[in-house]
Amino acid sequence: MADVYTNPEKHVVLHNSVKMPILGLGTSHDGGYSHEAVVYALKICGYRHIDTAKRYGCETYIAEAVKASGVPREEIFLATKCWPTDYGTTATRDAFNGSCQRLASEYLDMYLLHWPDVPSRVKDKKQLLQDTWRTLEVLLDEERVRVIGISNFLEQHLEMIMEECSVIPHVNQCEFHPYNNPKKLRDYCTERNIQFEGYCPLANGQILNEPKIQEIAGIHGKSPAQVLIRWNLQKRVVCIPKSTKEHRVRENSEVYDFVLTKEDMAVLDSLPQKLTIMNPSAIQAKIDNPLPDGYKLTFVKTPVEP
Ligand SMILES: NC(=O)c1ccc[n+]([C@@H]2O[C@H](COP(=O)([O-])OP(=O)(O)OC[C@H]3O[C@@H](n4cnc5c(N)ncnc54)[C@H](OP(=O)(O)O)[C@@H]3O)[C@@H](O)[C@H]2O)c1
């Protein structure tokens, strides 16, 4: 077994004592899905954390990849997300069961509410979010899921949940890279024992040409992607880079053999806040839009058919 759960550098401990691997593999319907890359990540590179979402439409394929990797299910921290059209007591439980079924697992390691937005027709947003959160708490209590959290929640959204909750969210997954570093939100989460998890750690590839990052990479003999992942790890931010290419999946995992200096960290911390990959204002239309889950999903190389 990979040393992910025994080496304290390679995991974070959540407020319910669950160990969450600090480095995971992202998947999504943007930029393609590769069965081979997921199998390679698990089997060869020692990844033990996979991030997905019902919305991405690839849960079934991930189950196939987990099976093909030969890595025991219980070694893998499997995280997926509930799309806002599935918010509500019964709908969320149904969505959870659907994800479990597609992922071929009786339980999930982590279940997140994907966005704080809800369908426009909903009159009482706060009530819906609170009812949905309560459903996650019940699933936690029933031991169907080990960790519950939210994604893309800002302070005001977290307040709505925490006003009524009995379990403080374990994790908040938000966009995070040097061009989008929400320091106040991270501090807010840290003060409440909510683990911050960053998505788009490579800014979807759009930050890799940044000269200051390239300079730091050159000094350490590492790639810009490795510098960005290392920046996350040294901040103890859970990081889920995605790649459909085996050599990059490997590159993104080779981040434990160098350390960024205080000066490197300060340079990365001071880059201009100039890029948002996931524009929150575009999400409402997507929630109200009847496009099916995985509508953008394409396959890189041949996937194993479910
Ligand atoms: N909660 C949310 O709302 C939300 C939103 C967005 C993303 N996410 C999660 O976060 C994960 C990561 O985000 P992301 O996929 O948008 O962006 P990302 O990980 O920042 O970047 C992925 C892009 O970078 C390229 N890449 C990966 N490794 C590279 C390397 N070593 N060198 C050069 N290029 C490299 C990939 O291309 P190739 O495939 O060609 O290598 C891909 O185009 C997603 O997969 C998903 O799990 C969550």
Side-chain angles (χ1 to χ4, degrees), residues 26-28 51 56 81 114-115 151-152 173 199-205 208 225 240-245 248 251-252 278:
T27 65
S28 97
D51 182 80
Y56 306 158
K81 313 183 193 84
H114 206 145
W115 283 91
S151 177
N152 298 298
Q173 183 189 106
Y199 71 67
C200 296
L202 314 178
N204 213 241
L208 299 171
I240 47 171
K242 179 201 162 191
S243 177
T244 53
K245 300 185 173 62
R248 287 178 172 173
E251 176 186 322
N252 295 347
M278 297 300 299

Short mmCIF file of all heavy atoms in Angstrom, two decimals, residues 26-28 51 56 81 114-115 151-152 173 199-205 208 225 240-245 248 251-252 278, ligand 1:
data_model
loop_
_atom_site.label_atom_id
_atom_site.label_comp_id
_atom_site.label_asym_id
_atom_site.label_seq_id
_atom_site.Cartn_x
_atom_site.Cartn_y
_atom_site.Cartn_z
N GLY A 26 -7.80 14.68 -10.21
CA GLY A 26 -9.06 15.27 -10.68
C GLY A 26 -9.58 14.51 -11.89
O GLY A 26 -8.82 13.90 -12.64
N THR A 27 -10.88 14.55 -12.05
CA THR A 27 -11.50 14.04 -13.30
C THR A 27 -12.59 15.04 -13.63
O THR A 27 -13.04 15.77 -12.75
CB THR A 27 -12.15 12.65 -13.11
OG1 THR A 27 -13.24 12.76 -12.19
CG2 THR A 27 -11.17 11.61 -12.64
N SER A 28 -12.99 15.09 -14.89
CA SER A 28 -14.11 15.98 -15.20
C SER A 28 -14.58 15.73 -16.62
O SER A 28 -14.00 14.93 -17.35
CB SER A 28 -13.73 17.45 -15.00
OG SER A 28 -13.38 18.03 -16.21
N ASP A 51 -11.12 12.58 -7.32
CA ASP A 51 -12.20 13.55 -7.23
C ASP A 51 -13.06 13.45 -8.49
O ASP A 51 -12.54 13.49 -9.61
CB ASP A 51 -11.64 14.97 -7.11
CG ASP A 51 -12.76 15.99 -6.97
OD1 ASP A 51 -13.28 16.13 -5.85
OD2 ASP A 51 -13.14 16.63 -7.98
N TYR A 56 -20.04 15.34 -13.93
CA TYR A 56 -19.02 15.07 -14.95
C TYR A 56 -19.39 13.85 -15.82
O TYR A 56 -18.80 13.66 -16.89
CB TYR A 56 -17.64 14.81 -14.31
CG TYR A 56 -17.14 15.90 -13.37
CD1 TYR A 56 -16.19 15.61 -12.41
CD2 TYR A 56 -17.62 17.21 -13.43
CE1 TYR A 56 -15.72 16.58 -11.53
CE2 TYR A 56 -17.16 18.18 -12.56
CZ TYR A 56 -16.22 17.86 -11.61
OH TYR A 56 -15.74 18.81 -10.74
N LYS A 81 -19.75 14.54 -6.00
CA LYS A 81 -20.50 15.75 -5.63
C LYS A 81 -21.96 15.66 -6.07
O LYS A 81 -22.27 15.02 -7.08
CB LYS A 81 -19.87 16.99 -6.28
CG LYS A 81 -18.36 17.06 -6.12
CD LYS A 81 -17.76 18.32 -6.69
CE LYS A 81 -16.25 18.19 -6.79
NZ LYS A 81 -15.73 17.51 -7.99
N HIS A 114 -22.12 20.57 -4.70
CA HIS A 114 -21.24 21.08 -5.76
C HIS A 114 -21.18 22.61 -5.82
O HIS A 114 -20.14 23.20 -6.06
CB HIS A 114 -21.72 20.50 -7.11
CG HIS A 114 -20.65 20.39 -8.14
ND1 HIS A 114 -20.61 19.37 -9.06
CD2 HIS A 114 -19.58 21.17 -8.43
CE1 HIS A 114 -19.57 19.54 -9.86
NE2 HIS A 114 -18.93 20.62 -9.49
N TRP A 115 -22.33 23.26 -5.65
CA TRP A 115 -22.39 24.74 -5.70
C TRP A 115 -23.39 25.24 -4.67
O TRP A 115 -24.36 24.53 -4.34
CB TRP A 115 -22.83 25.22 -7.11
CG TRP A 115 -21.73 25.14 -8.12
CD1 TRP A 115 -21.47 24.07 -8.93
CD2 TRP A 115 -20.73 26.12 -8.40
NE1 TRP A 115 -20.36 24.35 -9.71
CE2 TRP A 115 -19.90 25.60 -9.40
CE3 TRP A 115 -20.46 27.40 -7.90
CZ2 TRP A 115 -18.80 26.29 -9.93
CZ3 TRP A 115 -19.37 28.09 -8.42
CH2 TRP A 115 -18.56 27.54 -9.42
N SER A 151 -18.69 22.74 -1.86
CA SER A 151 -17.75 23.21 -2.88
C SER A 151 -18.23 24.56 -3.38
O SER A 151 -19.44 24.76 -3.55
CB SER A 151 -17.70 22.18 -4.02
OG SER A 151 -16.85 22.63 -5.04
N ASN A 152 -17.31 25.45 -3.60
CA ASN A 152 -17.62 26.80 -4.12
C ASN A 152 -18.44 27.63 -3.14
O ASN A 152 -19.11 28.58 -3.54
CB ASN A 152 -18.37 26.69 -5.46
CG ASN A 152 -17.54 26.03 -6.53
OD1 ASN A 152 -16.49 26.54 -6.89
ND2 ASN A 152 -17.98 24.88 -7.02
N GLN A 173 -14.29 22.76 -1.05
CA GLN A 173 -13.46 22.68 -2.27
C GLN A 173 -13.74 23.88 -3.17
O GLN A 173 -14.87 24.09 -3.59
CB GLN A 173 -13.79 21.39 -3.03
CG GLN A 173 -12.92 21.20 -4.26
CD GLN A 173 -13.35 20.04 -5.16
OE1 GLN A 173 -13.90 20.25 -6.23
NE2 GLN A 173 -13.11 18.81 -4.71
N TYR A 199 -9.32 23.40 -6.22
CA TYR A 199 -9.42 22.81 -7.56
C TYR A 199 -8.79 23.75 -8.59
O TYR A 199 -8.49 24.90 -8.28
CB TYR A 199 -10.86 22.40 -7.90
CG TYR A 199 -11.88 23.51 -8.14
CD1 TYR A 199 -11.80 24.35 -9.25
CD2 TYR A 199 -12.96 23.66 -7.28
CE1 TYR A 199 -12.76 25.33 -9.48
CE2 TYR A 199 -13.93 24.65 -7.51
CZ TYR A 199 -13.82 25.48 -8.62
OH TYR A 199 -14.76 26.45 -8.85
N CYS A 200 -8.60 23.22 -9.81
CA CYS A 200 -7.85 23.94 -10.86
C CYS A 200 -6.48 24.40 -10.33
O CYS A 200 -6.11 25.57 -10.49
CB CYS A 200 -8.61 25.14 -11.40
SG CYS A 200 -10.14 24.75 -12.23
N PRO A 201 -5.71 23.50 -9.71
CA PRO A 201 -4.41 23.94 -9.15
C PRO A 201 -3.44 24.42 -10.21
O PRO A 201 -2.51 25.18 -9.90
CB PRO A 201 -3.88 22.66 -8.47
CG PRO A 201 -4.59 21.54 -9.15
CD PRO A 201 -5.94 22.06 -9.50
N LEU A 202 -3.65 24.00 -11.46
CA LEU A 202 -2.78 24.46 -12.56
C LEU A 202 -3.49 25.53 -13.37
O LEU A 202 -3.10 25.84 -14.50
CB LEU A 202 -2.40 23.28 -13.45
CG LEU A 202 -1.95 21.99 -12.73
CD1 LEU A 202 -1.64 20.89 -13.73
CD2 LEU A 202 -0.74 22.27 -11.84
N ALA A 203 -4.57 26.09 -12.79
CA ALA A 203 -5.40 27.06 -13.50
C ALA A 203 -5.75 26.54 -14.89
O ALA A 203 -5.70 27.28 -15.87
CB ALA A 203 -4.73 28.43 -13.55
N ASN A 204 -6.03 25.23 -14.91
CA ASN A 204 -6.41 24.59 -16.17
C ASN A 204 -5.33 24.77 -17.25
O ASN A 204 -5.61 24.83 -18.43
CB ASN A 204 -7.76 25.18 -16.63
CG ASN A 204 -8.59 24.15 -17.37
OD1 ASN A 204 -8.90 24.35 -18.52
ND2 ASN A 204 -8.90 23.05 -16.73
N GLY A 205 -4.11 24.85 -16.81
CA GLY A 205 -2.97 25.00 -17.73
C GLY A 205 -2.62 26.44 -18.06
O GLY A 205 -1.59 26.72 -18.67
N LEU A 208 0.83 28.08 -16.41
CA LEU A 208 2.11 27.37 -16.49
C LEU A 208 3.21 28.18 -17.20
O LEU A 208 4.39 27.92 -17.01
CB LEU A 208 1.91 26.01 -17.18
CG LEU A 208 0.94 25.07 -16.45
CD1 LEU A 208 0.62 23.85 -17.31
CD2 LEU A 208 1.51 24.63 -15.11
N ALA A 225 4.20 22.81 -13.14
CA ALA A 225 3.07 22.10 -12.52
C ALA A 225 3.48 21.57 -11.15
O ALA A 225 2.72 21.68 -10.17
CB ALA A 225 2.62 20.96 -13.42
N ILE A 240 -5.97 18.64 -6.33
CA ILE A 240 -6.49 17.57 -7.20
C ILE A 240 -6.23 17.88 -8.68
O ILE A 240 -7.17 18.03 -9.47
CB ILE A 240 -7.99 17.34 -6.93
CG1 ILE A 240 -8.77 18.68 -6.89
CG2 ILE A 240 -8.21 16.57 -5.65
CD1 ILE A 240 -10.29 18.53 -6.84
N PRO A 241 -4.96 17.95 -9.10
CA PRO A 241 -4.68 18.21 -10.51
C PRO A 241 -5.25 17.10 -11.39
O PRO A 241 -5.28 15.94 -10.98
CB PRO A 241 -3.15 18.21 -10.58
CG PRO A 241 -2.71 17.39 -9.41
CD PRO A 241 -3.73 17.63 -8.34
N LYS A 242 -5.67 17.50 -12.58
CA LYS A 242 -6.19 16.52 -13.52
C LYS A 242 -5.28 16.42 -14.74
O LYS A 242 -4.83 17.44 -15.25
CB LYS A 242 -7.58 16.96 -13.98
CG LYS A 242 -8.19 16.00 -14.98
CD LYS A 242 -9.28 16.62 -15.81
CE LYS A 242 -9.51 15.75 -17.04
NZ LYS A 242 -10.34 16.36 -18.04
N SER A 243 -5.02 15.22 -15.19
CA SER A 243 -4.39 15.07 -16.50
C SER A 243 -4.89 13.79 -17.14
O SER A 243 -5.15 12.80 -16.46
CB SER A 243 -2.86 15.04 -16.41
OG SER A 243 -2.34 14.82 -17.72
N THR A 244 -5.00 13.82 -18.44
CA THR A 244 -5.39 12.63 -19.20
C THR A 244 -4.17 11.92 -19.75
O THR A 244 -4.31 10.96 -20.49
CB THR A 244 -6.30 13.05 -20.37
OG1 THR A 244 -5.62 14.06 -21.11
CG2 THR A 244 -7.64 13.59 -19.88
N LYS A 245 -2.99 12.45 -19.41
CA LYS A 245 -1.75 11.88 -19.96
C LYS A 245 -0.94 11.22 -18.85
O LYS A 245 -0.65 11.86 -17.83
CB LYS A 245 -0.93 12.98 -20.63
CG LYS A 245 -1.70 13.64 -21.76
CD LYS A 245 -0.88 14.66 -22.52
CE LYS A 245 -1.65 15.15 -23.73
NZ LYS A 245 -2.90 15.83 -23.39
N ARG A 248 2.10 13.00 -17.40
CA ARG A 248 1.79 14.16 -16.54
C ARG A 248 1.19 13.73 -15.21
O ARG A 248 1.42 14.37 -14.18
CB ARG A 248 0.84 15.10 -17.27
CG ARG A 248 1.52 15.87 -18.39
CD ARG A 248 0.52 16.73 -19.10
NE ARG A 248 1.12 17.64 -20.05
CZ ARG A 248 0.43 18.39 -20.89
NH1 ARG A 248 -0.90 18.34 -20.87
NH2 ARG A 248 1.03 19.20 -21.72
N GLU A 251 4.22 12.98 -13.35
CA GLU A 251 4.92 14.24 -13.01
C GLU A 251 4.21 14.93 -11.83
O GLU A 251 4.85 15.39 -10.89
CB GLU A 251 4.90 15.14 -14.25
CG GLU A 251 5.49 16.51 -14.07
CD GLU A 251 5.28 17.37 -15.33
OE1 GLU A 251 5.37 16.84 -16.46
OE2 GLU A 251 5.01 18.58 -15.17
N ASN A 252 2.89 14.97 -11.88
CA ASN A 252 2.13 15.68 -10.84
C ASN A 252 2.20 14.99 -9.48
O ASN A 252 1.86 15.58 -8.47
CB ASN A 252 0.68 15.85 -11.29
CG ASN A 252 0.54 16.73 -12.51
OD1 ASN A 252 1.50 17.41 -12.90
ND2 ASN A 252 -0.62 16.72 -13.15
N MET A 278 -13.56 29.03 -13.12
CA MET A 278 -14.98 28.69 -12.96
C MET A 278 -15.74 29.94 -12.55
O MET A 278 -15.71 30.33 -11.39
CB MET A 278 -15.15 27.60 -11.88
CG MET A 278 -14.49 26.28 -12.20
SD MET A 278 -15.11 25.51 -13.72
CE MET A 278 -16.80 25.28 -13.31
N1 LIG B 1 -15.85 21.72 -7.49
C1 LIG B 1 -15.84 22.30 -8.65
O1 LIG B 1 -16.72 23.10 -8.99
C2 LIG B 1 -14.72 22.01 -9.61
C3 LIG B 1 -14.52 22.83 -10.72
C4 LIG B 1 -13.46 22.54 -11.58
C5 LIG B 1 -12.61 21.47 -11.31
N2 LIG B 1 -12.85 20.68 -10.21
C6 LIG B 1 -11.97 19.50 -9.91
O2 LIG B 1 -10.61 19.90 -9.96
C7 LIG B 1 -9.90 19.08 -10.88
C8 LIG B 1 -8.75 19.85 -11.50
O3 LIG B 1 -9.21 20.99 -12.18
P1 LIG B 1 -9.06 21.20 -13.74
O4 LIG B 1 -9.01 19.88 -14.41
O5 LIG B 1 -10.13 22.12 -14.15
O6 LIG B 1 -7.69 21.98 -13.91
P2 LIG B 1 -6.15 21.70 -13.57
O7 LIG B 1 -5.93 20.44 -12.85
O8 LIG B 1 -5.69 22.98 -12.99
O9 LIG B 1 -5.54 21.60 -15.02
C9 LIG B 1 -5.81 20.57 -15.89
C10 LIG B 1 -5.23 20.94 -17.24
O10 LIG B 1 -3.81 21.03 -17.15
C11 LIG B 1 -3.17 20.10 -18.02
N3 LIG B 1 -2.08 19.49 -17.24
C12 LIG B 1 -2.19 18.62 -16.20
N4 LIG B 1 -0.98 18.31 -15.71
C13 LIG B 1 -0.08 19.01 -16.45
C14 LIG B 1 1.33 19.11 -16.41
N5 LIG B 1 2.05 18.44 -15.53
N6 LIG B 1 1.93 19.93 -17.33
C15 LIG B 1 1.19 20.62 -18.23
N7 LIG B 1 -0.14 20.57 -18.31
C16 LIG B 1 -0.78 19.77 -17.42
C17 LIG B 1 -4.24 19.11 -18.42
O11 LIG B 1 -4.10 18.69 -19.75
P3 LIG B 1 -3.88 17.13 -20.16
O12 LIG B 1 -5.11 16.38 -19.75
O13 LIG B 1 -3.73 17.24 -21.64
O14 LIG B 1 -2.64 16.70 -19.45
C18 LIG B 1 -5.52 19.94 -18.30
O15 LIG B 1 -5.73 20.66 -19.49
C19 LIG B 1 -10.99 18.62 -11.86
O16 LIG B 1 -10.57 17.52 -12.59
C20 LIG B 1 -12.13 18.36 -10.92
O17 LIG B 1 -11.95 17.11 -10.28
C21 LIG B 1 -13.86 20.95 -9.36
#
